[in-house]
mmCIF file of all heavy atoms in Angstrom:
data_model
loop_
_atom_site.group_PDB
_atom_site.id
_atom_site.type_symbol
_atom_site.label_atom_id
_atom_site.label_comp_id
_atom_site.label_asym_id
_atom_site.label_seq_id
_atom_site.Cartn_x
_atom_site.Cartn_y
_atom_site.Cartn_z
ATOM 1 N N VAL A 805 -7.164 -1.335 -13.940
ATOM 2 C CA VAL A 805 -6.751 -2.794 -14.437
ATOM 3 C C VAL A 805 -8.023 -3.508 -14.585
ATOM 4 O O VAL A 805 -9.149 -3.169 -14.090
ATOM 5 C CB VAL A 805 -5.851 -3.348 -13.452
ATOM 6 C CG1 VAL A 805 -4.568 -2.524 -13.219
ATOM 7 C CG2 VAL A 805 -6.510 -3.742 -12.119
ATOM 8 N N SER A 806 -7.925 -4.729 -15.190
ATOM 9 C CA SER A 806 -9.069 -5.621 -15.323
ATOM 10 C C SER A 806 -9.158 -6.462 -14.068
ATOM 11 O O SER A 806 -8.235 -6.637 -13.327
ATOM 12 C CB SER A 806 -8.907 -6.524 -16.674
ATOM 13 O OG SER A 806 -7.678 -7.395 -16.388
ATOM 14 N N LYS A 807 -10.394 -7.041 -13.914
ATOM 15 C CA LYS A 807 -10.541 -7.872 -12.776
ATOM 16 C C LYS A 807 -9.587 -9.114 -12.781
ATOM 17 O O LYS A 807 -9.035 -9.575 -11.818
ATOM 18 C CB LYS A 807 -12.036 -8.374 -12.700
ATOM 19 C CG LYS A 807 -12.365 -9.198 -11.442
ATOM 20 C CD LYS A 807 -13.838 -9.486 -11.444
ATOM 21 C CE LYS A 807 -14.173 -10.414 -10.227
ATOM 22 N NZ LYS A 807 -15.631 -10.685 -10.203
ATOM 23 N N PRO A 808 -9.443 -9.757 -13.975
ATOM 24 C CA PRO A 808 -8.468 -10.921 -13.972
ATOM 25 C C PRO A 808 -7.075 -10.545 -13.686
ATOM 26 O O PRO A 808 -6.334 -11.298 -13.110
ATOM 27 C CB PRO A 808 -8.610 -11.436 -15.506
ATOM 28 C CG PRO A 808 -9.975 -10.979 -15.904
ATOM 29 C CD PRO A 808 -10.212 -9.702 -15.272
ATOM 30 N N THR A 809 -6.703 -9.270 -14.086
ATOM 31 C CA THR A 809 -5.363 -8.853 -13.794
ATOM 32 C C THR A 809 -5.260 -8.728 -12.195
ATOM 33 O O THR A 809 -4.194 -9.176 -11.605
ATOM 34 C CB THR A 809 -5.021 -7.504 -14.433
ATOM 35 O OG1 THR A 809 -5.039 -7.669 -15.906
ATOM 36 C CG2 THR A 809 -3.709 -6.903 -13.909
ATOM 37 N N LEU A 810 -6.212 -8.202 -11.621
ATOM 38 C CA LEU A 810 -6.161 -7.968 -10.111
ATOM 39 C C LEU A 810 -6.043 -9.304 -9.433
ATOM 40 O O LEU A 810 -5.153 -9.495 -8.601
ATOM 41 C CB LEU A 810 -7.442 -7.284 -9.624
ATOM 42 C CG LEU A 810 -7.410 -6.923 -8.182
ATOM 43 C CD1 LEU A 810 -8.297 -5.591 -7.868
ATOM 44 C CD2 LEU A 810 -8.055 -8.016 -7.320
ATOM 45 N N PHE A 811 -6.825 -10.317 -9.897
ATOM 46 C CA PHE A 811 -6.726 -11.686 -9.292
ATOM 47 C C PHE A 811 -5.411 -12.368 -9.566
ATOM 48 O O PHE A 811 -5.083 -13.310 -8.872
ATOM 49 C CB PHE A 811 -7.935 -12.512 -9.675
ATOM 50 C CG PHE A 811 -9.152 -12.212 -8.906
ATOM 51 C CD1 PHE A 811 -10.350 -11.785 -9.549
ATOM 52 C CD2 PHE A 811 -9.193 -12.262 -7.545
ATOM 53 C CE1 PHE A 811 -11.576 -11.599 -8.811
ATOM 54 C CE2 PHE A 811 -10.264 -12.087 -6.772
ATOM 55 C CZ PHE A 811 -11.423 -11.597 -7.483
ATOM 56 N N ARG A 812 -4.713 -11.972 -10.720
ATOM 57 C CA ARG A 812 -3.409 -12.577 -10.863
ATOM 58 C C ARG A 812 -2.454 -12.109 -9.739
ATOM 59 O O ARG A 812 -1.534 -12.866 -9.359
ATOM 60 C CB ARG A 812 -2.861 -12.183 -12.282
ATOM 61 C CG ARG A 812 -3.447 -13.029 -13.363
ATOM 62 C CD ARG A 812 -2.543 -13.012 -14.567
ATOM 63 N NE ARG A 812 -2.335 -11.595 -15.123
ATOM 64 C CZ ARG A 812 -3.042 -10.985 -15.943
ATOM 65 N NH1 ARG A 812 -4.158 -11.588 -16.460
ATOM 66 N NH2 ARG A 812 -2.731 -9.850 -16.385
ATOM 67 N N TYR A 813 -2.597 -10.905 -9.346
ATOM 68 C CA TYR A 813 -1.723 -10.365 -8.266
ATOM 69 C C TYR A 813 -2.184 -10.743 -6.831
ATOM 70 O O TYR A 813 -1.389 -11.020 -5.969
ATOM 71 C CB TYR A 813 -1.631 -8.856 -8.375
ATOM 72 C CG TYR A 813 -0.754 -8.374 -9.497
ATOM 73 C CD1 TYR A 813 -1.271 -8.125 -10.768
ATOM 74 C CD2 TYR A 813 0.601 -8.252 -9.315
ATOM 75 C CE1 TYR A 813 -0.546 -7.663 -11.793
ATOM 76 C CE2 TYR A 813 1.425 -7.856 -10.389
ATOM 77 C CZ TYR A 813 0.850 -7.571 -11.598
ATOM 78 O OH TYR A 813 1.660 -7.165 -12.652
ATOM 79 N N PHE A 814 -3.461 -10.871 -6.669
ATOM 80 C CA PHE A 814 -4.101 -11.054 -5.358
ATOM 81 C C PHE A 814 -5.207 -12.099 -5.546
ATOM 82 O O PHE A 814 -6.357 -11.696 -5.881
ATOM 83 C CB PHE A 814 -4.622 -9.815 -4.704
ATOM 84 C CG PHE A 814 -3.596 -8.787 -4.451
ATOM 85 C CD1 PHE A 814 -3.385 -7.690 -5.280
ATOM 86 C CD2 PHE A 814 -2.775 -8.912 -3.270
ATOM 87 C CE1 PHE A 814 -2.340 -6.795 -5.026
ATOM 88 C CE2 PHE A 814 -1.798 -8.006 -3.043
ATOM 89 C CZ PHE A 814 -1.541 -6.914 -3.824
ATOM 90 N N PRO A 815 -4.970 -13.319 -5.258
ATOM 91 C CA PRO A 815 -6.009 -14.388 -5.431
ATOM 92 C C PRO A 815 -7.165 -14.184 -4.588
ATOM 93 O O PRO A 815 -8.335 -14.672 -4.875
ATOM 94 C CB PRO A 815 -5.343 -15.682 -5.061
ATOM 95 C CG PRO A 815 -3.825 -15.338 -5.222
ATOM 96 C CD PRO A 815 -3.662 -13.919 -4.858
ATOM 97 N N ALA A 816 -7.091 -13.514 -3.497
ATOM 98 C CA ALA A 816 -8.216 -13.372 -2.523
ATOM 99 C C ALA A 816 -8.268 -11.868 -2.189
ATOM 100 O O ALA A 816 -7.309 -11.132 -2.143
ATOM 101 C CB ALA A 816 -8.060 -14.175 -1.240
ATOM 102 N N LYS A 817 -9.490 -11.349 -1.918
ATOM 103 C CA LYS A 817 -9.747 -10.008 -1.644
ATOM 104 C C LYS A 817 -8.924 -9.565 -0.394
ATOM 105 O O LYS A 817 -8.370 -8.451 -0.312
ATOM 106 C CB LYS A 817 -11.280 -9.693 -1.420
ATOM 107 C CG LYS A 817 -11.614 -8.290 -1.132
ATOM 108 C CD LYS A 817 -13.159 -8.154 -1.022
ATOM 109 C CE LYS A 817 -13.577 -6.730 -0.608
ATOM 110 N NZ LYS A 817 -15.142 -6.716 -0.426
#
Side-chain angles (χ1 to χ4, degrees):
V805 303
S806 65
K807 185 177 176 181
T809 294
L810 187 149
F811 278 123
R812 280 202 301 272
Y813 285 93
F814 295 100
K817 182 180 176 182

